[in-house]
Amino acid sequence: MEGWKLLIAFGWLVSTSEGDDPKNILILGGNGFIGAATSERLIAKGNNLVLLNRGNWYWDSQFTVKPHVKHLTCDRQRQLLYCEDLHRLKDTVYFDVVIDFSAYHFEAVEDVLELLKGKIGRYIYISSDSVYEVCQKNHSEPSQESDAVRPFTSEERLLMTGKDDYGHRKLECEEVLVKQRKEGGVPYVLLRLPDVIGPRDNTYRWWMYQMWLKLSGYLERQISIPKFLLNQKLSFVYSLDVADMLVQLTDSDLKNFDNAYNLGTDEMPTLLEVLESMRKHLRVENIPIPVNDSNDAIYLFPSVKLGPIDSSKAKTLLNWRPTSFDNISKQTISFYESAIRNKDFDLARKEIIKNMQAYFTKQPHNVLYGLNGVYGIKYPDTHEEL
């Protein structure tokens, strides 16, 4: 079988030449939120997946993903130089696609490109709209891809970097991919995501708002909108839409590669509109959502200051067709309403309960009373804090 090798060490029959199907895909991360959803879709299509991460399996990914992939336990902060399994694998496998969820430092991207030099067909990097926070955007409209230009002077760059270190580092990762491509390197796509919402979110932000509404009768701190956010338009993206786009990009031709794309919903709701949507689908319309002008007002969205993003480029070139915000809200709420009762998500349930106890009441047992009163759940069986 010309072009195929049997990898005895890994029990795989894989293609070592471009263009064959199924594909060999290296996913850096892939065990939580968008990554797990993407892995599930790629597995269903019959691809050969290698997942490289630190070995944590979030939500139910240990059941839906782990048994169907080759898993390499490596910490990218220690460099891939120390990942012996990947060193052995690189000599026998050509990766048609690398999908990078986990690079937060430019050195991590450089490590992959150096170690797998000549062994990668395309590189898809999951970036963030935080990159615009360190750039010289000079208009008040939604951010476009062309706005990701750093200030010209070193003084201005240093000032911007100090405002958003995360955005600075994500942009540095992008810059590595752009530079290597100009030198004849790997085709790339940069996906700049705003606040991501959907099932299995490890930040728990949406779920915390949802529980804040549901348990409001048991909590001292009532839900509210910070005054400065009252009219601020926000951008979101649905985790499952991103997963679908990633699958599309693994199969597409390369004509629209070597580009950055914003991915967001068509709607740009305010935080009040987001909470009103939650309230509607939770059927708790009687709960007020007042404006809070105090300095200690809690808010979980947005994570950026420069406002929403413009996704028209992705719609034109990638046929990006996002789910409506109302449907995202409905589906996400349904998932978390089920998750609070699902014993398979016990670790996530403990985390959300601890968060509710820490931030929304001075009487932690009230959260447990609320779980019993609202959901009929005696969790845990005692009234002690988790």
Side-chain angles (χ1 to χ4, degrees):
M1 297 175 63
E2 187 175 353
W4 295 75
K5 288 187 178 181
L6 181 63
L7 301 185
I8 301 298
F10 295 96
W12 273 12
L13 184 67
V14 299
S15 167
T16 57
S17 60
E18 253 184 308
D20 291 311
D21 204 31
K23 294 180 175 62
N24 299 325
I25 301 175
L26 173 63
I27 300 183
L28 303 164
N31 50 343
F33 206 14
I34 311 171
T38 303
S39 297
E40 290 169 10
R41 284 156 169 73
L42 291 170
I43 291 166
K45 288 176 66 67
N47 294 292
N48 300 312
L49 268 60
V50 176
L51 266 63
L52 185 151
N53 53 55
R54 288 177 291 183
N56 300 314
W57 296 96
Y58 303 103
W59 295 89
D60 54 353
S61 60
Q62 72 269 30
F63 308 118
T64 64
V65 176
K66 186 179 181 181
H68 310 289
V69 302
K70 175 59 192 174
H71 178 235
L72 308 181
T73 303
C74 299
D75 186 347
R76 295 181 76 185
Q77 293 187 10
R78 295 186 65 245
Q79 295 186 313
L80 296 181
L81 175 67
Y82 301 99
C83 188
E84 295 179 1
D85 284 343
L86 185 59
H87 276 268
R88 291 199 298 271
L89 194 59
K90 74 180 179 64
D91 294 328
T92 51
V93 176
Y94 179 93
F95 288 107
D96 302 286
V97 186
V98 170
I99 304 176
D100 192 344
F101 290 98
S102 63
Y104 300 110
H105 302 275
F106 72 90
E107 295 93 343
V109 178
E110 290 179 334
D111 280 350
V112 177
L113 294 170
E114 179 60 30
L115 182 62
L116 300 178
K117 191 172 184 179
K119 298 282 187 171
I120 301 174
R122 61 184 68 184
Y123 199 117
I124 305 171
Y125 179 61
I126 311 304
S127 190
S128 166
D129 64 345
S130 292
V131 301
Y132 299 115
E133 303 287 311
V134 297
C135 294
Q136 54 179 11
K137 180 180 175 182
N138 56 8
H139 61 86
S140 58
E141 296 299 311
S143 297
Q144 298 179 341
E145 291 82 356
S146 57
D147 291 318
V149 179
R150 291 186 187 270
F152 294 114
T153 69
S154 57
E155 292 81 4
E156 288 178 305
R157 287 190 176 204
L158 186 61
L159 179 63
M160 287 291 192
T161 298
K163 291 181 178 179
D164 195 315
D165 184 65
Y166 176 76
H168 163 65
R169 294 188 182 280
K170 295 296 278 188
L171 188 53
E172 280 190 322
C173 293
E174 291 189 13
E175 290 165 343
V176 167
L177 288 164
V178 173
K179 182 176 183 292
Q180 63 84 36
R181 181 57 171 157
K182 290 179 178 177
E183 296 170 351
V186 180
Y188 67 87
V189 162
L190 314 172
L191 299 181
R192 294 177 183 154
L193 309 184
D195 286 316
V196 185
I197 53 180
R200 300 173 175 83
D201 180 1
N202 297 326
T203 73
Y204 305 116
R205 290 180 295 172
W206 181 282
W207 200 5
M208 286 176 69
Y209 269 130
Q210 190 166 322
M211 293 289 284
W212 200 357
L213 285 167
K214 289 284 286 191
L215 303 185
S216 62
Y218 297 84
L219 305 174
E220 297 139 67
R221 186 187 287 270
Q222 293 301 292
I223 199 163
S224 62
I225 300 291
K227 186 175 182 179
F228 75 93
L229 282 177
L230 185 59
N231 299 311
Q232 174 65 59
K233 295 291 186 181
L234 311 179
S235 274
F236 296 92
V237 70
Y238 192 29
S239 57
L240 304 187
D241 286 345
V242 178
D244 288 337
M245 175 54 66
L246 287 167
V247 173
Q248 175 185 318
L249 289 170
T250 65
D251 290 330
S252 67
D253 58 38
L254 295 173
K255 68 179 181 179
N256 291 318
F257 270 62
D258 303 331
N259 268 301
Y261 297 96
N262 294 333
L263 299 184
T265 58
D266 290 335
E267 304 90 341
M268 298 178 186
T270 64
L271 182 55
L272 178 58
E273 290 168 337
V274 171
L275 296 180
E276 286 175 339
S277 176
M278 287 188 184
R279 191 171 61 177
K280 178 185 74 172
H281 291 299
L282 287 169
R283 298 180 181 178
V284 291
E285 289 93 338
N286 60 314
I287 296 175
I289 306 176
V291 175
N292 189 338
D293 57 4
S294 69
N295 293 327
D296 66 344
I298 290 179
Y299 68 96
L300 306 177
F301 299 116
S303 58
V304 296
K305 297 177 180 177
L306 286 182
I309 59 171
D310 181 341
S311 301
S312 58
K313 180 179 176 182
K315 295 185 77 171
T316 300
L317 298 182
L318 300 181
N319 196 33
W320 170 248
R321 297 294 182 265
T323 304
S324 72
F325 188 85
D326 189 64
N327 280 335
I328 293 171
S329 178
K330 181 178 180 180
Q331 293 167 22
T332 303
I333 282 170
S334 178
F335 173 82
Y336 290 117
E337 285 295 277
S338 173
I340 195 63
R341 295 183 171 90
N342 190 334
K343 292 183 178 180
D344 288 341
F345 299 145
D346 193 43
L347 290 178
R349 293 197 305 173
K350 286 181 178 179
E351 286 299 314
I352 194 67
I353 293 170
K354 285 181 180 179
N355 285 340
M356 299 305 296
Q357 291 174 327
Y359 295 109
F360 304 117
T361 179
K362 294 180 181 179
Q363 304 294 328
H365 58 274
N366 284 346
V367 175
L368 304 182
Y369 293 149
L371 286 172
N372 191 14
V374 174
Y375 292 102
I377 298 171
K378 293 183 178 180
Y379 181 75
D381 291 330
T382 70
H383 288 161
E384 299 174 0
E385 296 179 45
L386 291 179

